[in-house]
Amino acid sequence: MKNKAIVIFIALLMILISPMATAASENDPDKHQDITLNVMTFNIHAGIGSDGLYDIDHTAETIRSSGADVIGLQEVDVNWGYRSNFQDQVEYLAEKLDMHAFFAPIYNQDPLNEEDPRRKYGLAVLSKYPIINSENHEITRLSTQDAVPEPSPAPGFPGVKLNVKGVNVSFYVTHLDYRGDPYIREMQVDDMLSIISEQKNTFLVGDMNSTPDAPELQPLFNRFNDAWTEAGSGDGYTYPETSPEKRIDYIFTSQDLSPTNTQVIDTEASDHLPVMTEVLLTRDN
């Protein structure tokens, strides 16, 4: 009888609590509010500033002072070499900025000394919001590590799913081929478009190594909103940092999003200038 009385008491308690919890949820001021998300793309040049000196703290401070919530990084070293003191830049930046992180290496090589960690170079995502899913996708690349490279699938195209206060956001970061001949970039654009599913709240950011009039980039402009075209002022030049004359760093969004207040951020922390935009995420009812 005692156990039966306890069960009845718990059942009655749940009946009383349930309407209160529902009411509290309905009255939650954040539940129906839109969310402002600040998104950045930043080619950090392995933490080497325009003065040619390595200073990853300068990189971190540029990101911190910008107020960016989610950042796509290119040219990131993880125990890679002397230029960055064999430092794990992803771990350092994540700890310094108190952010979640995902690293997607393009190259993953043996260490110089057997007891050291593997040498990696690639792209990364930093986020104030939890990363609930991540993948290092392959796209066509022409390796800089092979003497006679051939176009072939290679990793280094990170895609993550973020939980932004209950809203799912898809975020991709890329770094396209730098060579003058666009044929590798053409294949890379095709590869990326086949990987990125057509859904709302999607971002593609990165260093495209091409200006907006480049034919190989037109499929991206056709499918996505370009944050600079939508909400930038001026030419949007990002490279080289000392005297910018090209717009090659981009933030693309799915067409359900309307970027606002897109800006190029002035810094000497890299040979590229970062780009940041503000986007309003709409909660589903």
Side-chain angles (χ1 to χ4, degrees):
M1 290 295 292
K2 183 178 180 181
N3 290 340
K4 185 176 180 180
I6 292 173
V7 170
I8 293 172
F9 173 75
I10 292 174
L12 290 172
L13 187 63
M14 293 301 296
I15 291 171
L16 290 171
I17 291 175
S18 181
M20 295 169 62
T22 301
S25 175
E26 290 300 323
N27 293 327
D28 182 354
D30 292 331
K31 182 177 180 181
H32 302 293
Q33 287 183 351
D34 294 337
I35 305 160
T36 300
L37 187 69
N38 291 309
V39 173
M40 173 188 280
T41 182
F42 193 8
N43 182 329
I44 67 171
H45 194 218
I48 301 170
S50 59
D51 57 4
L53 301 177
Y54 178 64
D55 187 354
I56 195 66
D57 287 316
H58 196 175
T59 306
E61 184 52 37
T62 299
I63 295 170
R64 186 197 306 280
S65 62
S66 73
D69 300 310
V70 185
I71 308 98
L73 302 178
Q74 306 92 52
E75 295 192 15
V76 183
D77 285 358
V78 170
N79 314 121
W80 178 252
Y82 291 102
R83 69 183 183 186
S84 52
N85 297 332
F86 291 92
Q87 188 172 15
D88 184 335
Q89 296 183 327
V90 178
E91 180 180 61
Y92 185 83
L93 289 172
E95 290 183 358
K96 186 90 173 176
L97 298 168
D98 191 24
M99 288 185 169
H100 304 275
F102 174 66
F103 177 58
I106 299 173
Y107 305 124
N108 185 342
Q109 300 186 352
D110 293 333
L112 300 182
N113 301 305
E114 187 175 341
E115 67 276 10
D116 292 337
R118 293 185 65 81
R119 303 169 54 243
K120 301 176 184 179
Y121 166 84
L123 300 88
V125 177
L126 295 174
S127 173
K128 290 181 180 178
Y129 299 102
I131 297 172
I132 57 178
N133 191 23
S134 59
E135 185 171 351
N136 186 3
H137 299 278
E138 291 188 341
I139 60 175
T140 303
R141 294 194 181 278
L142 201 59
S143 175
T144 62
Q145 305 299 297
D146 297 340
V148 185
E150 294 289 338
S152 59
F157 180 44
V160 303
K161 188 81 72 177
L162 306 173
N163 179 355
V164 181
K165 296 184 178 179
V167 176
N168 285 336
V169 170
S170 297
F171 190 82
Y172 297 85
V173 189
T174 195
H175 191 181
L176 301 190
D177 191 76
Y178 66 91
R179 296 167 179 87
D181 192 323
Y183 84 105
I184 295 294
R185 289 191 295 278
E186 291 172 357
M187 290 188 283
Q188 291 175 326
V189 168
D190 287 343
D191 292 340
M192 292 190 302
L193 290 178
S194 68
I195 291 169
I196 302 173
S197 58
E198 294 197 37
Q199 55 186 359
K200 63 181 182 179
N201 298 333
T202 297
F203 295 84
L204 170 63
V205 310
D207 176 359
M208 308 295 174
N209 271 312
S210 290
T211 55
D213 58 347
E216 66 268 24
L217 296 190
Q218 297 318 301
L220 298 180
F221 286 100
N222 292 337
R223 178 161 160 187
F224 301 108
N225 286 335
D226 169 37
W228 192 263
T229 301
E230 293 285 317
S233 177
D235 51 39
Y237 290 171
T238 59
Y239 182 84
E241 177 278 330
T242 50
S243 183
E245 57 186 29
K246 296 179 181 179
R247 180 160 88 93
I248 61 175
D249 300 273
Y250 299 81
I251 298 175
F252 290 107
T253 76
S254 50
Q255 294 189 3
D256 60 291
L257 299 176
S258 299
T260 60
N261 191 28
T262 307
Q263 57 184 304
V264 174
I265 296 173
D266 188 28
T267 179
E268 296 180 351
S270 172
D271 62 342
H272 284 245
L273 297 176
V275 180
M276 189 171 77
T277 193
E278 180 181 282
V279 175
L280 201 63
L281 303 177
T282 301
R283 291 181 184 272
D284 292 329
N285 292 327

